[in-house]
Amino acid sequence: MKLTKKKAGIFALKIFAVLFFIVAVFASGFLFLDKIIIPKYFGEYDINGLGDLIGVVSSLYSSPDEKSLVKNGYSDTDLTSGVEKLQGAGYKIEDDGTILPENMSTFKGTGKVTLTDREFSAICNRLLQTQILEDSLPNLNYINIMNITIVDLVVTPDDESYNEETGTYSKANILFIIKVGTDDLRTQIALQMQTPEALIKMIIPSELYFTVNYDIDLNAEEENRTTGTIAINGKTEKQSEILINLLIEFIFPSESEMNIEKFTKEIGNVALSGIDTLGNFSFLKDVEGSGLNGMLIE
């Protein structure tokens, strides 16, 4: 059957009308989901639309490849050289970086030690694994300190804080990345949300990466020494905000009064507690001609 131009035009209009109706149905469904359903069930977590929800899920499931994320990772060689330096300065530390409990009270040596940022991160990881830092990081026990690993750490001294007399810097930017194994967290969140753990495992991957970037001023008062930002899985600070607040909501009890600012400081204390365990410190550039920045411990 051959359509006349008039009939063909009417047919086209009908097709357009049907397509318009389908699009309108989907659009109204989207608006209903975006403006009513999602805010109703997730608004208390600052997830106020489909875009926010997609952003949270994508942040979790776009866990970066660790090799592409890490720029200044340490090796076994860094651990060995760092331990040898500490032993040479009289620190009571085992060859594998362990501090024996009976040596804690007399652990610190009497000499000065210069460590690259890689050597320090290797030693700090050993302190985490042997639970030496557990008492100084009480809030992070909700995450389980044994599940925390430093995978990257970069020290960048501030040129304006250089002291010609000592050859050291009192200010620096410290950027470091920790990897958190989430097996314990997923169990805890499932219990708190009264949700099957299998579902939580579909939402939260087995590992999360937190990047902390902060400035430290050793001459400031203790509570004002650091200011910093935090991000997750290689995202920007802004992209990470909703997700980190959500994790805080389900990880920490209300009595901890945890928020994103306090959480940033607590994660930052992973590195600072490791430094404080070793002794007083200041920052260095090009440690012993290595091309790496680091710190002077004394």
Side-chain angles (χ1 to χ4, degrees):
M1 174 179 163
K2 187 176 181 181
L3 293 175
T4 65
K5 287 185 177 180
K6 183 177 180 181
K7 287 184 176 180
I10 293 172
F11 180 77
L13 285 172
K14 288 181 177 180
I15 291 294
F16 178 78
V18 170
L19 290 175
F20 179 81
F21 176 75
I22 293 172
V23 170
V25 169
F26 275 102
S28 62
F30 170 83
L31 289 173
F32 182 69
L33 182 67
D34 186 57
K35 302 299 183 184
I36 298 176
I37 297 298
I38 290 176
K40 177 180 179 181
Y41 289 101
F42 298 100
E44 64 179 301
Y45 307 116
D46 288 329
I47 300 175
N48 297 307
L50 193 58
D52 290 341
L53 186 61
I54 291 173
V56 168
V57 174
S58 66
S59 293
L60 284 170
Y61 274 98
S62 60
S63 287
D65 175 63
E66 188 173 310
K67 291 181 180 179
S68 66
L69 190 65
V70 173
K71 307 301 181 185
N72 195 43
Y74 68 90
S75 65
D76 290 340
T77 301
D78 295 310
L79 176 62
T80 300
S81 60
V83 167
E84 287 176 350
K85 288 180 180 180
L86 290 172
Q87 289 173 331
Y91 283 74
K92 293 183 179 179
I93 185 170
E94 302 299 296
D95 291 341
D96 65 353
T98 301
I99 305 172
L100 299 177
E102 60 267 27
N103 290 336
M104 275 305 297
S105 60
T106 57
F107 160 67
K108 293 180 180 179
T110 55
K112 296 182 179 181
V113 182
T114 58
L115 296 175
T116 68
D117 42 19
R118 292 180 184 176
E119 291 170 338
F120 167 72
S121 57
I123 291 169
C124 192
N125 265 325
R126 292 299 299 138
L127 299 180
L128 284 167
Q129 292 163 7
T130 52
Q131 298 178 288
I132 297 299
L133 303 182
E134 188 171 7
D135 290 342
S136 58
L137 300 168
N139 282 314
L140 293 186
N141 282 325
Y142 293 110
I143 295 176
N144 188 345
I145 287 176
M146 294 296 289
N147 291 333
I148 296 175
T149 306
I150 298 175
V151 296
D152 198 18
L153 190 145
V154 181
V155 172
T156 306
D158 182 342
D159 289 335
E160 293 183 0
S161 69
Y162 182 66
N163 184 321
E164 291 187 5
E165 186 176 331
T166 62
T168 63
Y169 300 80
S170 60
K171 297 181 182 179
N173 174 266
I174 297 180
L175 183 148
F176 75 99
I177 302 170
I178 66 168
K179 176 171 64 177
V180 178
T182 63
D183 284 347
D184 294 340
L185 281 183
R186 292 189 294 194
T187 300
Q188 181 177 331
I189 291 172
L191 185 63
Q192 186 131 337
M193 294 181 68
Q194 297 183 340
T195 302
E197 191 169 342
L199 179 60
I200 298 299
K201 287 182 178 180
M202 291 174 62
I203 298 172
I204 299 179
S206 59
E207 294 171 341
L208 294 174
Y209 293 86
F210 291 95
T211 300
V212 178
N213 189 331
Y214 62 93
D215 297 315
I216 179 168
D217 181 357
L218 299 178
N219 293 328
E221 294 182 5
E222 187 73 24
E223 62 272 17
N224 298 319
R225 283 169 66 184
T226 62
T227 55
T229 61
I230 192 167
I232 192 169
N233 286 355
K235 298 293 184 179
T236 66
E237 177 190 2
K238 184 63 178 177
Q239 290 170 329
S240 303
E241 186 175 347
I242 292 176
L243 178 55
I244 292 176
N245 278 326
L246 190 62
L247 290 172
I248 288 171
E249 179 77 20
F250 289 113
I251 292 170
F252 296 95
S254 57
E255 59 265 25
S256 71
E257 299 181 341
M258 188 62 69
N259 54 40
I260 196 165
E261 291 80 14
K262 187 176 177 181
F263 185 65
T264 302
K265 187 174 285 288
E266 293 288 347
I267 296 293
N269 282 340
V270 170
L272 293 181
S273 295
I275 294 173
D276 288 338
T277 297
L278 297 176
N280 296 322
F281 65 99
S282 51
F283 301 107
L284 297 169
K285 280 190 173 182
D286 191 20
V287 176
E288 299 171 344
S290 64
L292 299 171
N293 298 329
M295 56 202 68
L296 172 67
I297 310 288
E298 53 186 333

